[in-house]
Amino acid sequence: MTSLRAIRTGSWLGRKAGNKTGTHAPRFGAWLGAGAAGLLATAALAITDASARSAHTRSAGHHHAHHPHEVHKRGPVLWPLQFPESQYAPLNWSAVTGWADDDALPAFKTFRASCKPIAAQKGPLADSKALGTSLREPCIAARAEDISDSAKAREFFEKNFIPLQISRVGEEAGFVTGYYEPIVDGSRVQTDVYTVPVYRRPSNLFVRGYSQANASMPNKGQVFRKIGRRKLVPYYDRAQIEDGAIAGRGLEVVWLKSQTDLLFIQIQGSARIRLEDGSMVRINYDAHNGYPYTPVGRVLIERNIIPKDQMSMQKIREYMEQSPDAAKELRRQNRSYVFFREVLLSATDEAVGAQGVPLTAGRSIAVDKSLHVYGTPFFIEGNLPIESDASNTPFRRLMVAQDTGSAIIGPARADIYFGAGADAGRVAGRLKNPARFVMLLPKSLDPLERGKTMPLPEDRPSATIAKLFPQKELVKEAAREAAKEAPKENTKDVPKEQSRDAPKDQSKDQQKDQPASAQKQAAPSTTPVAAASAQVPIAPVVPLPEARPKAAPDTTATATMKPETPRRSRHQRRMRYRR
């Protein structure tokens, strides 16, 4: 869903003056609802069609007067950004709530960490996205800057980006959750205490479009296992794996105490495993079994076990520990299963996100990778339960997109990384709140500048052409308009007796005696509609050719022919001629 997808973004409307005068984004005209998106669709299709017609006319060698906004006057058309199912509006920095109060230096350092893989990429992105490779210019500038205080860091972002408020079409705010890196006890070998294996990616797991040699697999897509040489079937689900479908193949990385610990590690995507000797094993997401993720918290809400307003990771853990048998059935409602790989990180290093760089607690977020580019800065503003379950702590902070997740879907959807350990887990576990998203857009993609190159639709046909080729509906419409504008007959001054007696002056017999043509001439139509219709020029009627006269039947030959003489057939006549 590509041109139509661009239409549904609700991308860009408004006047250039809206940005100059410092008005808020909604006045800019870009906050579009679902209904307005349809108007944008009509306008965008008209513009696209007009542009195509204009290009065809030029290629045919015709020379017409063009609008100054047309392509050949200003160069190639640069269309505004395309975010499916999204709406966005440019802002002034003064309109970003809390922007001046945030410490921008940690965000700048996090952004510079993302710039390393961005600068190393030479060609275009594998997936076409709205930002494309536009982050390379700000990254080059960031790596050249020596910034050590918050004011200069804020100045850097204001110099290289423009704020763009973004959300799903018809919604004013986005949605945020939290995640963390669990720290759990484990063992390198199986014991009576540590009985739950953490598996690495099996060799018979295949993802369509990816090679087994890939460093890691995507968190979405079709996953198969091979039977024999050619046959592919869906991979084992959670219940089959827990029952030992891949046991005994040497895939165990470490062993844990409970399936609940493993489930939460799979939800978070990484973990620190503390061994009995005090050393730490770091594991990260590597692949999944191909089944969609089903939140166990949602199952508990639907079953009326935990109220929605009380749902948290801590509540889920408490329920599973108190009801082991019910926990087993609950886990298997989520058929998705995650495989891990061991990574070489120290005990103090932060987890590595999907971009391949270490995450920063409180500054890194996971976003929808199908829409956004890793390294994009986002300013998130809202009231979140950071301090306690009941608190509404003001959260106004610049974040950087460095990770992703299968449940993170949408233009204004983020998972905030809070670090490692139990304290981070408690904060992340209670986060499920609305928040406003402001995406920092590189200035090379400024919608105001791109709007100047957009072509306007061609002019409508001239009045001369409309007169030469009138349409019936247009004639009727013109007649109705003329009837409205025509002055009404003044009947107030005419006596009632005269108006009543006027039709009696001429008898019906006299009207019958006159021919039809005379009646028409004597009583011309004076109604406004008829007069208006007479004024509208109508194309001349081309007469049809007269019908050919019918030939009279030849009765003489029939009369002289003897009735008893049979008519010879063609075969008989031909045989006679040959003789």
Side-chain angles (χ1 to χ4, degrees), residues 232-250:
L232 295 176
V233 297
Y235 208 79
Y236 303 113
D237 65 359
R238 176 176 294 275
Q240 293 172 314
I241 295 175
E242 286 186 1
D243 291 340
I246 60 175
R249 297 174 53 185

Side-chain angles (χ1 to χ4, degrees), residues 277-300:
D277 60 358
S279 61
M280 197 78 71
V281 176
R282 306 293 297 274
I283 57 175
N284 264 24
Y285 169 92
D286 191 39
H288 75 118
N289 64 340
Y291 292 91
Y293 169 72
T294 301
V296 294
R298 186 176 66 191
V299 178
L300 292 173

Side-chain angles (χ1 to χ4, degrees), residues 116-444:
K116 185 176 181 180
I118 292 175
Q121 189 174 9
K122 301 300 182 181
L125 296 177
D127 300 327
S128 59
K129 300 173 186 177
L131 264 62
T133 58
S134 61
L135 287 173
R136 290 179 183 174
E137 294 181 9
C139 278
I140 294 174
R143 299 181 73 180
E145 294 281 352
D146 184 13
I147 295 177
S148 57
D149 62 85
S150 180
K152 290 184 178 180
R154 187 180 303 107
E155 183 181 353
F156 166 82
F157 287 111
E158 293 177 355
K159 180 181 178 181
N160 293 277
F161 296 91
I162 61 172
L164 200 74
Q165 190 164 351
I166 186 170
S167 67
R168 194 185 296 271
V169 172
E171 300 177 2
E172 294 184 0
F175 190 76
V176 295
T177 51
Y179 74 112
Y180 73 109
E181 188 177 20
I183 301 177
V184 299
D185 294 331
S187 173
R188 283 287 190 181
V189 295
Q190 183 180 10
T191 66
D192 295 338
V193 177
Y194 302 103
T195 59
V196 178
V198 177
Y199 290 120
R200 64 173 52 90
R201 188 205 318 169
S203 59
N204 64 342
L205 185 146
F206 297 90
V207 180
R208 189 179 299 277
Y210 287 82
S211 171
Q212 279 287 82
N214 284 31
S216 63
M217 297 294 183
N219 56 10
K220 295 180 182 179
Q222 294 179 311
V223 179
F224 305 94
R225 62 185 174 92
K226 184 182 291 187
I227 298 179
R229 293 185 176 181
R230 297 183 179 180
K231 187 176 181 180
L232 295 176
V233 297
Y235 208 79
Y236 303 113
D237 65 359
R238 176 176 294 275
Q240 293 172 314
I241 295 175
E242 286 186 1
D243 291 340
I246 60 175
R249 297 174 53 185
L251 300 174
E252 298 83 2
V253 180
V254 291
W255 297 80
L256 307 178
K257 291 181 179 180
S258 69
Q259 290 285 357
T260 303
D261 288 339
L262 177 60
L263 175 65
F264 278 89
I265 291 174
Q266 290 175 332
I267 293 174
Q268 303 306 316
S270 64
R272 305 182 186 190
I273 311 300
R274 186 169 45 221
L275 303 179
E276 294 177 331
D277 60 358
S279 61
M280 197 78 71
V281 176
R282 306 293 297 274
I283 57 175
N284 264 24
Y285 169 92
D286 191 39
H288 75 118
N289 64 340
Y291 292 91
Y293 169 72
T294 301
V296 294
R298 186 176 66 191
V299 178
L300 292 173
I301 294 173
E302 293 173 352
R303 295 178 178 180
N304 297 321
I305 297 175
I306 300 178
K308 184 177 181 180
D309 57 347
Q310 300 179 14
M311 178 57 63
S312 66
M313 282 192 239
Q314 189 63 30
K315 290 289 185 181
I316 297 174
R317 182 178 286 274
E318 291 175 0
Y319 172 79
M320 288 185 167
E321 291 176 353
Q322 295 171 3
S323 307
D325 294 336
K328 180 178 180 180
E329 187 273 336
L330 178 63
R331 284 194 315 271
R332 298 187 178 200
Q333 294 296 317
N334 175 30
R335 303 180 68 187
S336 176
Y337 196 92
V338 174
F339 303 97
F340 293 89
R341 71 178 185 274
E342 185 175 350
V343 292
L344 300 177
L345 295 174
S346 67
T348 58
D349 291 336
E350 291 291 347
V352 177
Q355 191 186 11
V357 298
L359 303 176
T360 303
R363 294 291 175 175
S364 298
I365 57 175
V367 296
D368 188 347
K369 68 174 184 178
S370 66
L371 298 177
H372 299 301
V373 176
Y374 292 139
T376 304
F378 286 86
F379 191 84
I380 298 178
E381 185 267 320
N383 295 322
L384 307 181
I386 302 297
E387 298 177 0
S388 65
D389 294 342
S391 67
N392 289 323
T393 307
F395 188 91
R396 298 174 177 90
R397 193 174 296 180
L398 183 59
M399 322 288 286
V400 181
Q402 295 179 325
D403 206 355
T404 189
S406 59
I408 312 302
I409 301 173
R413 175 71 174 92
D415 213 10
I416 302 175
Y417 177 69
F418 283 96
D423 293 338
R426 280 188 288 270
V427 176
R430 56 177 175 250
L431 233 69
K432 48 184 185 301
N433 299 76
R436 283 168 290 278
F437 282 66
V438 176
M439 183 174 68
L440 270 59
L441 187 72
K443 284 194 172 181
S444 60

